[in-house]
Amino acid sequence: MAEFRKIGVLTSGGDAPGMNACIKAVVNKALSMGIEVVGVVGGYAGLMNGDLIPLTYQSVNNIVAQGGTMLYSSRCPEFKYEEGVQTAVKTCRENGIDALVCIGGDGTFRGATDMTNHGIPSIGLPGTIDNDITATDNTIGFHTAVETALDLIDCLRDTCESHARLNVVEIMGRDCGQCALYAAIASGAVAVAIPEVPFDEAAALEKIRTLRAQGKRSMIVVVAEGVTNPDGTPYAETLAKRIEAETGVETKFARPAHIVRGGRPVMKDRTLATAMGVKAVELLVEGKSNLVMCEIDSNIVPIDINFALITDRMYKNKLKDGDLDSFTSEQLGKMRTICHRRTEELKSLYKIAMDVSF
Ligand code: F6P
């Protein structure tokens, strides 16, 4: 058992609904174990600047239903450098912070592992709407983002039906099409383009022509933000123009962008956030760190951060020279299994989307 007097909690990177529920879980669990908690304001930038607030039962009262993050967030390029990490460690030492819980995406986990390596035990919790942390089935915020996207698409459907139009909708997700794919299936979209699966534009255009000829009035096409033209510009708008030009179906374009990152978290995100927050505190107290909490087959499972980060790179084909050197063949086998499972799940979901998109 580690003797912690005070832990810090921070949110970093893109915010996600459910982060507040997670903060509340960390605070209440730690306080119930006699551990003080400070909130780091504005992610790693706040840690470098010593921007801290004490957190009590009262400070986290009634935040569980609120979107965004009460601790605010930032992306902090300075923290990628040794000097930034040293400054953050100094803040922890000067303020008696014995350990950290860091809520965010892969950049946040890199920060957590740096802090652990510099003597501040840290645990990462996956908070991002993209659901792009390969080692966990679900990230905090993903389910809410899909529900929000769905609400918006349902609104577009109404007006498309009235006017016999098609609407192309771009849904956030930089490298990952999960939000777009789930929203497409759940909204009955006629086509969906995501970065992970090649998109057959000619087939989509042909399908739209056929469906219109058969009398279908409203149609939705969902495109993930991460699908781009060869010059890097967003594909969604290009596709909208092509659909109208090639099929004659009047086509509108919508980009909800950051709207899908806000709003009240749904039950799944609140409960996942709470379970992960509680487990993170328990593990820190047990003396464990450098872990990321994952949900695997409905269980909360701690995974080594480096293992999770490299599995992510493996899945996203972003491995760098030497990335795999420190892992045993058994660990590499596990990584490949996780990547394979994810790829197969996505492919089978994409097939379902195609099978029913009429
Ligand atoms: O948090 C993930 C994400 O919302 C991505 O889907 C998106 O590409 C990116 O963040 C946008 O980042 P920012 O809020 O910095 O514009």
Side-chain angles (χ1 to χ4, degrees):
M1 295 285 263
E3 274 301 310
F4 289 130
R5 284 156 299 135
K6 196 190 280 182
I7 63 170
V9 55
L10 63 82
T11 49
S12 151
D15 64 348
M19 281 183 162
N20 280 326
C22 199
I23 295 165
K24 180 177 174 134
V26 169
V27 171
N28 287 359
K29 180 66 187 173
L31 293 177
S32 77
M33 298 173 92
I35 301 166
E36 270 182 72
V37 190
V38 289
V40 181
V41 179
Y44 289 109
L47 197 59
M48 287 165 55
N49 300 332
D51 203 350
L52 309 173
I53 47 168
L55 292 175
T56 62
Y57 288 122
Q58 286 72 33
S59 10
V60 294
N61 199 19
N62 293 341
I63 63 165
V64 79
Q66 290 168 15
T69 159
M70 68 164 283
L71 290 176
Y72 311 141
S73 192
S74 65
R75 302 190 193 272
C76 180
E78 296 85 353
F79 196 72
K80 288 188 182 146
Y81 302 101
E82 175 65 19
E83 209 184 325
V85 179
Q86 293 285 1
T87 314
V89 170
K90 193 160 165 268
T91 301
C92 291
R93 299 271 183 243
E94 284 174 2
N95 292 277
I97 298 173
D98 301 312
L100 283 174
V101 175
C102 308
I103 310 164
D106 52 359
T108 308
F109 302 153
R110 274 191 292 278
T113 208
D114 285 343
M115 291 304 289
T116 305
N117 292 338
H118 283 75
I120 308 291
S122 300
I123 286 189
L125 302 186
T128 163
I129 63 157
D130 286 358
N131 207 25
D132 64 342
I133 308 296
T134 313
T136 183
D137 293 344
N138 290 296
T139 55
I140 298 162
F142 169 60
H143 283 261
T144 308
V146 174
E147 292 293 341
T148 306
L150 204 49
D151 281 349
L152 298 169
I153 296 173
D154 287 348
C155 292
L156 292 170
R157 166 79 69 189
D158 291 344
T159 172
C160 280
E161 184 68 18
S162 305
H163 291 268
R165 286 175 179 156
L166 183 149
N167 220 307
V168 174
V169 191
E170 184 192 270
I171 297 296
M172 246 190 189
R174 197 174 6 220
D175 300 316
C176 182
Q178 293 235 359
C179 270
L181 182 55
Y182 278 81
I185 294 172
S187 65
V190 295
V192 54
I194 59 173
E196 296 91 334
V197 179
F199 179 62
D200 190 340
E201 184 183 292
L205 293 173
E206 189 49 33
K207 184 193 278 183
I208 292 164
R209 274 190 216 102
T210 307
L211 290 172
R212 177 48 63 92
Q214 290 169 351
K216 189 165 172 62
R217 288 178 63 82
S218 62
M219 287 181 255
I220 299 291
V221 172
V222 182
V223 180
E225 175 198 4
V227 185
T228 54
N229 295 311
D231 66 357
T233 55
Y235 174 63
E237 272 173 291
T238 309
L239 180 63
K241 285 184 191 132
R242 274 194 207 141
I243 290 173
E244 185 159 290
E246 304 276 332
T247 69
V249 176
E250 188 184 359
T251 300
K252 299 286 177 186
F253 171 69
R255 176 178 289 135
H258 292 77
I259 293 172
V260 299
R261 236 165 65 181
R264 293 176 71 235
V266 297
M267 179 275 288
K268 171 70 187 176
D269 286 326
R270 297 185 203 189
T271 51
L272 182 65
T274 303
M276 286 181 165
V278 166
K279 186 81 177 169
V281 174
E282 285 172 354
L283 288 170
L284 280 173
V285 172
E286 282 171 25
K288 300 189 177 128
S289 62
N290 214 30
L291 298 167
V292 53
M293 293 299 118
C294 294
E295 186 189 40
I296 303 173
D297 298 331
S298 302
N299 297 309
I300 306 299
V301 183
I303 304 251
D304 176 79
I305 289 192
N306 295 323
F307 180 95
L309 284 172
I310 298 303
T311 305
D312 236 23
R313 283 197 209 151
M314 185 184 270
Y315 178 73
K316 294 170 186 164
N317 285 325
K318 288 185 176 173
L319 282 172
K320 297 181 196 149
D321 283 350
D323 268 355
L324 303 181
D325 291 357
S326 60
F327 296 98
T328 63
S329 55
E330 194 190 337
Q331 286 171 319
L332 294 176
K334 277 190 189 153
M335 285 180 190
R336 289 191 190 103
T337 306
I338 293 172
C339 294
H340 179 71
R341 183 179 129 157
R342 213 176 227 231
T343 306
E344 290 308 305
E345 271 170 15
L346 202 83
K347 274 203 225 152
S348 110
L349 269 178
Y350 195 84
K351 186 174 175 314
I352 289 169
M354 291 299 101
D355 287 349
V356 299
S357 57
F358 295 99

